[in-house]
Coordinates of all heavy atoms in Angstrom, one line a residue:
M22 N -14.1 16.3 21.2 CA -15.1 16.7 20.3 C -15.0 15.8 19.1 O -13.9 15.8 18.4 CB -15.1 18.2 20.0 CG -16.2 18.6 19.2 SD -16.4 20.4 19.4 CE -16.1 20.9 17.8
A23 N -16.0 15.1 18.7 CA -16.0 14.2 17.6 C -16.2 15.0 16.3 O -16.9 16.0 16.2 CB -17.0 13.1 17.7
L24 N -15.5 14.5 15.2 CA -15.7 15.1 13.9 C -17.0 14.5 13.3 O -17.2 13.3 13.4 CB -14.5 14.8 13.0 CG -13.4 15.7 12.9 CD1 -12.3 15.2 12.1 CD2 -13.8 17.1 12.4
K25 N -17.7 15.3 12.6 CA -18.9 14.9 11.9 C -18.5 14.4 10.5 O -18.0 15.2 9.7 CB -20.0 16.0 11.8 CG -21.2 15.6 11.2 CD -22.1 14.9 12.2 CE -23.5 14.8 11.6 NZ -24.3 13.8 12.3
Q26 N -18.7 13.1 10.2 CA -18.3 12.6 8.9 C -19.4 12.8 7.9 O -20.6 12.8 8.2 CB -18.0 11.1 9.1 CG -16.9 10.7 10.1 CD -15.6 11.3 9.7 OE1 -15.3 11.6 8.6 NE2 -14.7 11.4 10.7
T27 N -19.0 13.0 6.6 CA -20.0 13.2 5.6 C -20.7 11.8 5.3 O -20.2 10.8 5.6 CB -19.3 13.7 4.3 OG1 -18.4 12.6 3.8 CG2 -18.5 14.9 4.5
E28 N -21.8 12.0 4.7 CA -22.6 10.8 4.3 C -21.8 9.9 3.3 O -21.8 8.7 3.4 CB -23.9 11.3 3.6 CG -24.9 10.2 3.3 CD -25.6 9.6 4.5 OE1 -25.6 10.3 5.6 OE2 -26.1 8.5 4.4
E29 N -21.1 10.5 2.4 CA -20.3 9.8 1.4 C -19.2 9.0 2.1 O -19.0 7.8 1.8 CB -19.7 10.8 0.4 CG -18.9 10.1 -0.7 CD -18.3 11.1 -1.7 OE1 -18.5 12.3 -1.5 OE2 -17.6 10.6 -2.6
F30 N -18.6 9.6 3.1 CA -17.5 8.9 3.9 C -18.1 7.7 4.6 O -17.5 6.6 4.6 CB -16.9 9.9 4.9 CG -15.8 9.2 5.7 CD1 -14.5 9.2 5.3 CD2 -16.1 8.7 7.0 CE1 -13.5 8.6 6.1 CE2 -15.2 8.2 7.8 CZ -13.9 8.1 7.3
R31 N -19.3 7.9 5.2 CA -19.9 6.8 5.9 C -20.2 5.6 5.0 O -20.0 4.5 5.3 CB -21.2 7.2 6.6 CG -21.0 8.2 7.7 CD -22.3 8.6 8.3 NE -22.1 9.6 9.4 CZ -23.0 9.8 10.3 NH1 -24.1 9.3 10.3 NH2 -22.7 10.7 11.3
R32 N -20.8 6.0 3.8 CA -21.2 4.9 2.9 C -20.0 4.2 2.4 O -20.0 3.0 2.2 CB -22.0 5.5 1.7 CG -23.4 5.9 2.0 CD -24.2 6.4 0.8 NE -25.5 6.7 1.1 CZ -26.5 5.8 1.1 NH1 -26.3 4.5 0.8 NH2 -27.7 6.1 1.4
E33 N -18.9 4.9 2.1 CA -17.7 4.3 1.6 C -17.1 3.4 2.7 O -16.6 2.3 2.4 CB -16.7 5.4 1.1 CG -15.5 4.8 0.5 CD -15.7 4.1 -0.8 OE1 -16.8 4.2 -1.4 OE2 -14.8 3.4 -1.3
A34 N -17.1 3.8 3.9 CA -16.6 3.0 5.0 C -17.4 1.7 5.1 O -16.8 0.7 5.3 CB -16.7 3.8 6.3
V35 N -18.7 1.8 5.0 CA -19.5 0.6 5.1 C -19.2 -0.3 3.9 O -19.1 -1.5 4.1 CB -21.0 1.0 5.1 CG1 -21.9 -0.2 5.0 CG2 -21.3 1.7 6.4
R36 N -19.1 0.3 2.7 CA -18.8 -0.6 1.5 C -17.5 -1.3 1.7 O -17.4 -2.5 1.4 CB -18.8 0.3 0.3 CG -18.7 -0.5 -1.0 CD -18.3 0.4 -2.2 NE -17.0 1.0 -2.1 CZ -15.9 0.4 -2.3 NH1 -15.8 -0.9 -2.5 NH2 -14.7 1.0 -2.2
I37 N -16.5 -0.6 2.2 CA -15.2 -1.2 2.4 C -15.3 -2.3 3.5 O -14.8 -3.4 3.3 CB -14.2 -0.2 2.9 CG1 -13.8 0.8 1.7 CG2 -12.9 -0.8 3.4 CD1 -13.1 2.0 2.1
A38 N -16.0 -2.1 4.5 CA -16.2 -3.0 5.6 C -16.9 -4.3 5.1 O -16.5 -5.4 5.5 CB -16.9 -2.4 6.8
L39 N -17.9 -4.1 4.3 CA -18.6 -5.3 3.8 C -18.0 -6.1 2.7 O -18.3 -7.2 2.5 CB -20.0 -4.8 3.4 CG -20.9 -4.3 4.5 CD1 -22.3 -3.8 3.9 CD2 -21.1 -5.3 5.6
S40 N -17.1 -5.4 1.9 CA -16.6 -6.1 0.7 C -15.1 -6.4 0.8 O -14.6 -7.2 0.0 CB -16.8 -5.2 -0.5 OG -16.2 -4.0 -0.4
S41 N -14.3 -5.8 1.7 CA -12.9 -5.9 1.7 C -12.4 -7.2 2.3 O -11.3 -7.7 1.9 CB -12.2 -4.8 2.4 OG -12.4 -4.8 3.8
G42 N -13.1 -7.8 3.2 CA -12.6 -9.0 3.9 C -11.7 -8.7 5.1 O -11.2 -9.6 5.8
L43 N -11.4 -7.4 5.3 CA -10.6 -7.0 6.5 C -11.5 -6.9 7.7 O -12.7 -6.8 7.6 CB -9.9 -5.7 6.2 CG -9.0 -5.6 5.0 CD1 -8.6 -4.1 4.8 CD2 -7.8 -6.4 5.3
S44 N -10.8 -7.0 8.9 CA -11.6 -6.9 10.1 C -12.1 -5.5 10.3 O -11.5 -4.5 9.8 CB -10.7 -7.3 11.3 OG -9.7 -6.3 11.5
R45 N -13.2 -5.4 11.0 CA -13.8 -4.1 11.3 C -12.8 -3.3 12.2 O -12.7 -2.0 12.0 CB -15.1 -4.3 12.0 CG -16.2 -4.8 11.1 CD -17.5 -4.8 11.8 NE -18.5 -5.4 11.0 CZ -19.7 -5.6 11.3 NH1 -20.2 -5.3 12.5 NH2 -20.6 -6.2 10.4
T46 N -12.1 -3.9 13.1 CA -11.1 -3.2 13.9 C -10.0 -2.5 13.0 O -9.7 -1.3 13.2 CB -10.4 -4.1 14.9 OG1 -11.4 -4.8 15.6 CG2 -9.5 -3.4 15.8
R47 N -9.5 -3.3 12.0 CA -8.5 -2.8 11.1 C -9.0 -1.6 10.3 O -8.4 -0.6 10.1 CB -8.0 -3.9 10.2 CG -7.1 -3.5 9.1 CD -5.7 -3.4 9.5 NE -4.9 -2.9 8.4 CZ -4.3 -3.7 7.5 NH1 -4.4 -5.0 7.5 NH2 -3.5 -3.1 6.6
I48 N -10.2 -1.8 9.7 CA -10.8 -0.8 8.9 C -11.1 0.5 9.7 O -10.8 1.6 9.2 CB -12.1 -1.3 8.2 CG1 -11.8 -2.4 7.2 CG2 -12.9 -0.2 7.5 CD1 -13.0 -3.2 6.8
A49 N -11.6 0.3 10.9 CA -11.9 1.5 11.7 C -10.6 2.3 12.0 O -10.6 3.5 12.0 CB -12.6 1.1 13.0
A50 N -9.6 1.5 12.4 CA -8.3 2.2 12.7 C -7.7 2.9 11.5 O -7.2 4.0 11.6 CB -7.3 1.1 13.2
D51 N -7.8 2.2 10.3 CA -7.3 2.9 9.1 C -8.1 4.1 8.7 O -7.5 5.1 8.2 CB -7.4 1.9 7.9 CG -6.4 0.8 8.0 OD1 -5.5 0.8 8.8 OD2 -6.5 -0.2 7.2
L52 N -9.4 4.2 9.0 CA -10.2 5.3 8.7 C -10.2 6.4 9.8 O -10.8 7.5 9.6 CB -11.6 4.9 8.4 CG -11.8 4.0 7.1 CD1 -13.2 3.5 7.0 CD2 -11.4 4.8 5.9
G53 N -9.6 6.0 10.9 CA -9.6 7.0 12.0 C -10.9 7.1 12.8 O -11.2 8.2 13.3
I54 N -11.7 6.1 12.8 CA -13.0 6.1 13.5 C -13.0 4.9 14.5 O -12.1 4.0 14.4 CB -14.2 6.0 12.6 CG1 -14.1 4.7 11.7 CG2 -14.2 7.2 11.7 CD1 -15.3 4.4 10.8
G55 N -13.9 4.9 15.4 CA -14.0 3.8 16.4 C -14.7 2.6 15.8 O -15.5 2.7 14.8
K56 N -14.4 1.5 16.3 CA -15.0 0.2 15.8 C -16.5 0.2 16.0 O -17.3 -0.2 15.2 CB -14.4 -1.0 16.5 CG -14.9 -2.3 16.1 CD -14.3 -3.5 16.8 CE -15.0 -4.7 16.4 NZ -14.7 -5.8 17.3
S57 N -16.9 0.8 17.2 CA -18.4 0.8 17.5 C -19.1 1.8 16.5 O -20.2 1.5 16.1 CB -18.6 1.2 18.9 OG -18.1 2.5 19.2
T58 N -18.4 2.8 16.1 CA -19.0 3.8 15.1 C -19.2 3.1 13.8 O -20.2 3.2 13.2 CB -18.1 5.0 15.0 OG1 -17.9 5.6 16.2 CG2 -18.7 6.0 14.0
L59 N -18.1 2.3 13.4 CA -18.2 1.6 12.1 C -19.3 0.6 12.2 O -20.1 0.4 11.2 CB -16.9 1.0 11.8 CG -16.9 0.2 10.5 CD1 -17.2 1.0 9.3 CD2 -15.5 -0.5 10.3
S60 N -19.4 -0.1 13.3 CA -20.5 -1.2 13.4 C -21.9 -0.5 13.4 O -22.8 -1.1 12.8 CB -20.3 -1.9 14.7 OG -19.1 -2.6 14.7
H61 N -22.0 0.6 14.0 CA -23.3 1.4 14.0 C -23.6 1.8 12.5 O -24.8 1.6 12.1 CB -23.2 2.6 14.9 CG -24.4 3.4 14.8 ND1 -25.6 3.0 15.4 CD2 -24.7 4.6 14.2 CE1 -26.5 4.0 15.1 NE2 -26.0 5.0 14.5
W62 N -22.7 2.3 11.8 CA -22.9 2.7 10.4 C -23.3 1.5 9.6 O -24.2 1.5 8.7 CB -21.7 3.3 9.8 CG -21.3 4.7 10.3 CD1 -22.1 5.4 11.2 CD2 -20.1 5.4 10.1 NE1 -21.4 6.6 11.5 CE2 -20.2 6.6 10.8 CE3 -19.0 5.1 9.4 CZ2 -19.2 7.5 10.8 CZ3 -18.0 6.1 9.4 CH2 -18.1 7.3 10.1
I63 N -22.6 0.3 9.8 CA -23.0 -0.9 9.0 C -24.4 -1.3 9.3 O -25.1 -1.6 8.3 CB -22.0 -2.0 9.4 CG1 -20.6 -1.7 8.8 CG2 -22.5 -3.3 8.8 CD1 -19.5 -2.6 9.3
S64 N -24.8 -1.3 10.5 CA -26.2 -1.7 10.8 C -27.2 -0.7 10.3 O -28.3 -1.1 9.8 CB -26.4 -1.9 12.3 OG -26.2 -0.7 13.0
Q65 N -26.8 0.6 10.2 CA -27.6 1.6 9.7 C -27.8 1.5 8.2 O -28.9 1.7 7.7 CB -27.0 3.0 10.1 CG -27.9 4.2 9.8 CD -27.2 5.4 10.3 OE1 -26.0 5.5 10.4 NE2 -28.0 6.4 10.7
Y66 N -26.7 1.2 7.5 CA -26.7 1.2 6.0 C -26.9 -0.1 5.4 O -27.0 -0.2 4.2 CB -25.4 1.9 5.5 CG -25.3 3.3 5.7 CD1 -24.3 3.8 6.5 CD2 -26.3 4.2 5.2 CE1 -24.2 5.2 6.8 CE2 -26.2 5.6 5.5 CZ -25.2 6.0 6.3 OH -25.1 7.4 6.5
R67 N -26.9 -1.2 6.2 CA -26.9 -2.5 5.6 C -28.1 -2.7 4.7 O -28.1 -3.4 3.7 CB -26.9 -3.6 6.7 CG -26.7 -5.0 6.2 CD -26.6 -6.0 7.3 NE -25.4 -5.9 8.1 CZ -24.3 -6.6 7.8 NH1 -24.3 -7.4 6.9 NH2 -23.2 -6.4 8.6
S68 N -29.3 -2.2 5.1 CA -30.5 -2.4 4.3 C -30.6 -1.5 3.1 O -31.4 -1.8 2.2 CB -31.7 -2.1 5.2 OG -31.7 -0.8 5.6
T69 N -29.7 -0.5 3.0 CA -29.8 0.4 1.8 C -28.9 -0.2 0.7 O -27.9 -0.9 1.0 CB -29.4 1.8 2.1 OG1 -28.0 1.8 2.6 CG2 -30.3 2.4 3.2
D70 N -29.1 0.2 -0.5 CA -28.3 -0.2 -1.6 C -27.1 0.7 -1.7 O -27.2 1.9 -1.9 CB -29.1 -0.2 -2.9 CG -28.4 -0.8 -4.1 OD1 -27.4 -1.5 -3.9 OD2 -28.8 -0.4 -5.2
L71 N -25.9 0.1 -1.6 CA -24.7 0.9 -1.6 C -24.0 0.9 -3.0 O -22.9 1.5 -3.1 CB -23.7 0.3 -0.6 CG -24.2 0.4 0.8 CD1 -23.2 -0.3 1.8 CD2 -24.4 1.8 1.3
T72 N -24.6 0.3 -4.0 CA -24.0 0.3 -5.3 C -24.5 1.5 -6.1 O -25.6 2.0 -5.8 CB -24.3 -1.0 -6.1 OG1 -25.7 -1.1 -6.2 CG2 -23.7 -2.2 -5.4
A73 N -23.7 2.0 -7.0 CA -24.0 3.2 -7.8 C -25.1 2.8 -8.7 O -25.2 1.7 -9.3 CB -22.8 3.7 -8.5
P74 N -26.1 3.7 -9.1 CA -27.1 3.4 -10.0 C -26.6 3.0 -11.4 O -27.2 2.2 -12.0 CB -27.9 4.8 -10.1 CG -27.5 5.5 -8.9 CD -26.2 5.0 -8.5
E75 N -25.5 3.7 -11.8 CA -25.0 3.3 -13.2 C -24.5 1.9 -13.2 O -24.5 1.2 -14.2 CB -24.0 4.3 -13.6 CG -22.8 4.5 -12.7 CD -22.9 5.5 -11.7 OE1 -24.0 6.2 -11.6 OE2 -22.0 5.7 -10.9
A76 N -24.0 1.4 -12.0 CA -23.5 0.0 -11.9 C -24.7 -0.9 -12.1 O -24.5 -2.0 -12.7 CB -22.7 -0.2 -10.6
Q77 N -25.8 -0.6 -11.5 CA -27.0 -1.4 -11.6 C -27.5 -1.5 -13.0 O -27.8 -2.5 -13.5 CB -28.1 -0.8 -10.7 CG -27.9 -1.0 -9.2 CD -27.9 -2.5 -8.8 OE1 -28.5 -3.3 -9.5 NE2 -27.3 -2.8 -7.7
T78 N -27.4 -0.3 -13.7 CA -27.8 -0.3 -15.1 C -26.9 -1.2 -16.0 O -27.4 -1.9 -16.8 CB -27.8 1.1 -15.6 OG1 -28.6 2.0 -14.8 CG2 -28.3 1.2 -17.1
D79 N -25.6 -1.1 -15.7 CA -24.7 -2.0 -16.4 C -25.0 -3.5 -16.2 O -24.9 -4.3 -17.1 CB -23.2 -1.7 -16.0 CG -22.8 -0.3 -16.5 OD1 -23.4 0.3 -17.4 OD2 -21.8 0.2 -16.0
L80 N -25.3 -3.8 -14.9 CA -25.6 -5.2 -14.6 C -26.9 -5.7 -15.3 O -26.9 -6.8 -15.7 CB -25.7 -5.3 -13.1 CG -24.5 -5.2 -12.3 CD1 -24.8 -5.3 -10.8 CD2 -23.5 -6.4 -12.6
V81 N -27.9 -4.8 -15.4 CA -29.1 -5.2 -16.0 C -28.8 -5.4 -17.5 O -29.3 -6.4 -18.1 CB -30.2 -4.0 -15.8 CG1 -31.4 -4.3 -16.8 CG2 -30.6 -4.0 -14.4
R82 N -28.1 -4.5 -18.1 CA -27.7 -4.7 -19.6 C -27.0 -6.0 -19.8 O -27.2 -6.8 -20.7 CB -26.9 -3.6 -20.1 CG -27.8 -2.4 -20.5 CD -26.9 -1.4 -21.3 NE -27.4 -0.1 -20.9 CZ -26.6 0.9 -20.4 NH1 -25.3 0.7 -20.2 NH2 -27.1 2.0 -20.1
E83 N -26.0 -6.3 -18.9 CA -25.2 -7.5 -19.1 C -26.0 -8.7 -18.9 O -25.9 -9.7 -19.6 CB -24.0 -7.5 -18.0 CG -23.2 -8.7 -18.0 CD -22.3 -8.8 -19.3 OE1 -22.3 -7.9 -20.1 OE2 -21.6 -9.9 -19.4
N84 N -27.0 -8.7 -17.9 CA -27.9 -9.8 -17.7 C -28.8 -10.0 -18.9 O -29.0 -11.2 -19.2 CB -28.7 -9.5 -16.4 CG -29.2 -10.7 -15.7 OD1 -28.8 -11.8 -16.0 ND2 -30.0 -10.5 -14.7
E85 N -29.3 -9.0 -19.5 CA -30.1 -9.2 -20.7 C -29.3 -9.8 -21.8 O -29.8 -10.7 -22.5 CB -30.6 -7.8 -21.1 CG -31.7 -7.3 -20.3 CD -32.1 -5.8 -20.7 OE1 -31.7 -5.4 -21.7 OE2 -32.9 -5.2 -19.9
R86 N -28.1 -9.3 -22.0 CA -27.2 -9.9 -23.0 C -26.9 -11.3 -22.8 O -27.0 -12.2 -23.7 CB -25.9 -9.1 -23.1 CG -25.0 -9.5 -24.3 CD -23.6 -8.9 -24.2 NE -22.8 -9.4 -23.1 CZ -22.2 -10.6 -23.1 NH1 -22.3 -11.4 -24.1 NH2 -21.5 -11.0 -22.0
L87 N -26.6 -11.7 -21.6 CA -26.3 -13.1 -21.3 C -27.6 -14.0 -21.4 O -27.4 -15.1 -21.9 CB -25.8 -13.2 -19.8 CG -24.4 -12.6 -19.7 CD1 -24.0 -12.6 -18.2 CD2 -23.3 -13.4 -20.5
R88 N -28.7 -13.5 -21.1 CA -30.0 -14.3 -21.3 C -30.2 -14.5 -22.8 O -30.6 -15.6 -23.2 CB -31.2 -13.6 -20.7 CG -31.2 -13.7 -19.2 CD -32.6 -13.2 -18.7 NE -32.6 -13.4 -17.3 CZ -32.8 -12.5 -16.3 NH1 -32.9 -11.2 -16.7 NH2 -32.9 -12.8 -15.1
L89 N -30.0 -13.5 -23.6 CA -30.1 -13.7 -25.1 C -29.1 -14.7 -25.6 O -29.5 -15.6 -26.4 CB -30.0 -12.3 -25.8 CG -30.0 -12.4 -27.3 CD1 -31.3 -12.9 -27.8 CD2 -29.7 -11.0 -27.9
E90 N -27.9 -14.6 -25.2 CA -26.9 -15.5 -25.6 C -27.2 -16.9 -25.2 O -27.0 -17.9 -25.9 CB -25.5 -15.1 -25.0 CG -24.3 -15.9 -25.5 CD -23.0 -15.4 -24.9 OE1 -22.9 -14.3 -24.6 OE2 -22.1 -16.3 -24.9
N91 N -27.7 -17.1 -24.0 CA -28.0 -18.4 -23.4 C -29.2 -19.0 -24.3 O -29.1 -20.2 -24.6 CB -28.5 -18.2 -22.0 CG -28.5 -19.6 -21.3 OD1 -28.1 -20.6 -21.8 ND2 -29.1 -19.5 -20.1
R92 N -30.2 -18.2 -24.6 CA -31.3 -18.7 -25.4 C -30.8 -19.2 -26.8 O -31.2 -20.2 -27.3 CB -32.4 -17.6 -25.6 CG -33.6 -18.2 -26.2 CD -34.6 -17.0 -26.5 NE -33.9 -16.2 -27.5 CZ -34.4 -15.2 -28.2 NH1 -35.6 -14.9 -27.9 NH2 -33.7 -14.6 -29.0
I93 N -29.9 -18.4 -27.4 CA -29.4 -18.7 -28.7 C -28.6 -20.0 -28.6 O -28.8 -20.9 -29.5 CB -28.5 -17.6 -29.3 CG1 -29.4 -16.4 -29.6 CG2 -27.8 -18.0 -30.5 CD1 -28.7 -15.1 -30.0
L94 N -27.8 -20.2 -27.6 CA -27.0 -21.4 -27.5 C -27.9 -22.6 -27.2 O -27.6 -23.7 -27.8 CB -26.0 -21.2 -26.3 CG -24.9 -20.2 -26.6 CD1 -24.1 -20.0 -25.3 CD2 -24.0 -20.7 -27.7
R95 N -29.0 -22.5 -26.5 CA -29.9 -23.6 -26.3 C -30.5 -24.0 -27.6 O -30.7 -25.2 -27.9 CB -31.0 -23.2 -25.3 CG -30.4 -23.2 -23.8 CD -31.5 -22.7 -22.9 NE -31.0 -22.4 -21.6 CZ -31.3 -23.0 -20.5 NH1 -32.2 -24.0 -20.6 NH2 -30.8 -22.7 -19.4
E96 N -30.9 -23.0 -28.4 CA -31.6 -23.3 -29.7 C -30.6 -24.0 -30.6 O -30.9 -25.0 -31.3 CB -32.1 -22.0 -30.3 CG -33.3 -21.4 -29.6 CD -33.7 -20.1 -30.2 OE1 -33.0 -19.5 -31.1 OE2 -34.6 -19.5 -29.7
E97 N -29.3 -23.5 -30.6 CA -28.3 -24.2 -31.5 C -28.1 -25.6 -31.0 O -27.9 -26.5 -31.8 CB -27.0 -23.4 -31.4 CG -27.1 -22.1 -32.2 CD -25.9 -21.2 -32.0 OE1 -25.0 -21.5 -31.2 OE2 -25.8 -20.2 -32.7
R98 N -28.0 -25.8 -29.7 CA -27.8 -27.2 -29.2 C -28.9 -28.1 -29.6 O -28.7 -29.3 -30.0 CB -27.7 -27.1 -27.6 CG -27.3 -28.5 -27.1 CD -27.3 -28.5 -25.6 NE -28.7 -28.2 -25.1 CZ -29.0 -27.9 -23.9 NH1 -28.0 -27.7 -23.0 NH2 -30.2 -27.7 -23.5
E99 N -30.2 -27.6 -29.5 CA -31.3 -28.4 -29.9 C -31.2 -28.8 -31.4 O -31.5 -29.9 -31.8 CB -32.6 -27.7 -29.6 CG -33.0 -27.7 -28.2 CD -33.1 -29.1 -27.5 OE1 -33.7 -30.0 -28.1 OE2 -32.5 -29.2 -26.5
I100 N -30.8 -27.9 -32.2 CA -30.7 -28.1 -33.7 C -29.6 -29.2 -33.9 O -29.8 -30.1 -34.7 CB -30.4 -26.8 -34.4 CG1 -31.6 -25.9 -34.4 CG2 -29.9 -27.1 -35.9 CD1 -31.3 -24.5 -34.9
L101 N -28.5 -29.1 -33.2 CA -27.4 -30.0 -33.3 C -27.8 -31.4 -32.9 O -27.5 -32.5 -33.5 CB -26.2 -29.6 -32.6 CG -25.4 -28.4 -33.2 CD1 -24.3 -27.9 -32.3 CD2 -24.9 -28.8 -34.6
K102 N -28.6 -31.5 -31.8 CA -29.2 -32.8 -31.3 C -30.0 -33.4 -32.4 O -29.9 -34.6 -32.7 CB -30.0 -32.6 -30.1 CG -29.2 -32.5 -28.8 CD -30.2 -32.4 -27.6 CE -29.6 -32.3 -26.3 NZ -30.6 -32.1 -25.2
K103 N -30.9 -32.7 -33.0 CA -31.8 -33.2 -34.0 C -31.0 -33.6 -35.3 O -31.3 -34.7 -35.9 CB -32.9 -32.2 -34.4 CG -33.9 -31.9 -33.3 CD -34.9 -30.9 -33.7 CE -35.8 -30.7 -32.5 NZ -36.8 -29.6 -32.7
A104 N -30.0 -32.8 -35.6 CA -29.2 -33.2 -36.8 C -28.4 -34.5 -36.5 O -28.3 -35.4 -37.4 CB -28.2 -32.1 -37.1
T105 N -27.9 -34.6 -35.3 CA -27.2 -35.9 -34.9 C -28.1 -37.1 -35.0 O -27.7 -38.1 -35.5 CB -26.6 -35.7 -33.5 OG1 -25.7 -34.6 -33.5 CG2 -25.8 -37.0 -33.1
Q106 N -29.3 -36.9 -34.5 CA -30.3 -38.0 -34.5 C -30.6 -38.4 -36.0 O -30.8 -39.5 -36.3 CB -31.5 -37.7 -33.8 CG -31.3 -37.6 -32.3 CD -32.5 -37.1 -31.5 OE1 -33.5 -36.6 -32.1 NE2 -32.5 -37.2 -30.2
F107 N -30.8 -37.3 -36.8 CA -31.2 -37.6 -38.2 C -30.1 -38.3 -38.9 O -30.3 -39.3 -39.6 CB -31.4 -36.2 -38.9 CG -31.6 -36.4 -40.4 CD1 -32.9 -36.8 -40.9 CD2 -30.6 -36.1 -41.3 CE1 -33.0 -37.0 -42.3 CE2 -30.8 -36.2 -42.7 CZ -32.0 -36.7 -43.1
F108 N -28.8 -37.9 -38.8 CA -27.7 -38.6 -39.5 C -27.4 -40.0 -38.9 O -27.0 -40.9 -39.6 CB -26.5 -37.7 -39.5 CG -26.6 -36.5 -40.4 CD1 -26.5 -35.2 -39.9 CD2 -26.7 -36.6 -41.7 CE1 -26.6 -34.1 -40.7 CE2 -26.9 -35.6 -42.6 CZ -26.8 -34.3 -42.0
A109 N -27.7 -40.1 -37.6 CA -27.5 -41.5 -37.0 C -28.5 -42.4 -37.6 O -28.2 -43.6 -37.8 CB -27.6 -41.4 -35.5
S110 N -29.7 -42.0 -37.8 CA -30.8 -42.8 -38.3 C -30.6 -43.1 -39.8 O -31.1 -44.2 -40.3 CB -32.2 -42.2 -38.1 OG -32.3 -41.1 -39.0
Q111 N -29.9 -42.3 -40.5 CA -29.6 -42.5 -42.0 C -28.5 -43.6 -42.2 O -28.5 -44.2 -43.2 CB -29.1 -41.2 -42.6 CG -30.1 -40.2 -42.7 CD -31.3 -40.5 -43.5 OE1 -31.2 -41.1 -44.6 NE2 -32.5 -40.3 -43.0
K112 N -27.7 -43.9 -41.2 CA -26.6 -44.9 -41.3 C -27.2 -46.3 -41.3 O -26.5 -47.3 -41.8 CB -25.6 -44.7 -40.2 CG -24.7 -43.5 -40.5 CD -23.6 -43.5 -39.4 CE -22.6 -42.4 -39.8 NZ -21.5 -42.4 -39.0
T113 N -28.3 -46.6 -40.7 CA -28.8 -47.9 -40.6 C -29.5 -48.4 -41.8 O -29.8 -48.0 -42.8 CB -29.8 -48.1 -39.4 OG1 -30.8 -47.2 -39.6 CG2 -29.1 -47.8 -38.1

């Protein structure tokens, strides 16, 4: 008689299988499930998002911060280019 695994256990098993770099055989053995069961779960959950919602929020914030920083650095680079051209033209 097979044990019914919780949804959380299944999702965690899939996350480990997709991100750990270990073989499915090894992961299945470590978790005490069959390789075919793990493969079935992976195909079932592959299309769903396995990351936590708060992790997504953190990524969005970090992305916004990096875009702002990138824009500022581009503007500063353009100012420095113009200053270099101006001072180079003054020497002649």
Side-chain angles (χ1 to χ4, degrees):
M22 187 158 118
L24 268 176
K25 184 82 170 164
Q26 302 297 339
T27 65
E28 185 74 18
E29 183 180 358
F30 179 84
R31 291 177 182 200
R32 287 185 177 272
E33 186 65 15
V35 171
R36 187 192 65 75
I37 291 168
L39 295 177
S40 63
S41 70
L43 298 172
S44 71
R45 289 184 184 178
T46 305
R47 169 88 185 267
I48 294 167
D51 289 348
L52 295 174
I54 58 174
K56 181 182 172 192
S57 61
T58 301
L59 180 60
S60 296
H61 176 71
W62 291 350
I63 290 170
S64 65
Q65 190 177 26
Y66 291 117
R67 190 176 290 267
S68 62
T69 62
D70 186 19
L71 297 175
T72 57
E75 58 271 359
Q77 289 292 337
T78 305
D79 291 343
L80 288 174
V81 168
R82 277 194 217 122
E83 178 70 6
N84 207 8
E85 288 174 8
R86 186 189 68 76
L87 290 171
R88 283 191 175 121
L89 175 62
E90 183 179 338
N91 194 13
R92 190 187 63 169
I93 291 169
L94 291 171
R95 286 176 192 245
E96 290 172 359
E97 289 174 350
R98 185 183 68 194
E99 288 302 313
I100 291 170
L101 289 172
K102 278 184 183 178
K103 290 177 182 177
T105 302
Q106 290 173 349
F107 174 78
F108 289 117
S110 70
Q111 295 296 316
K112 287 188 173 186
T113 58

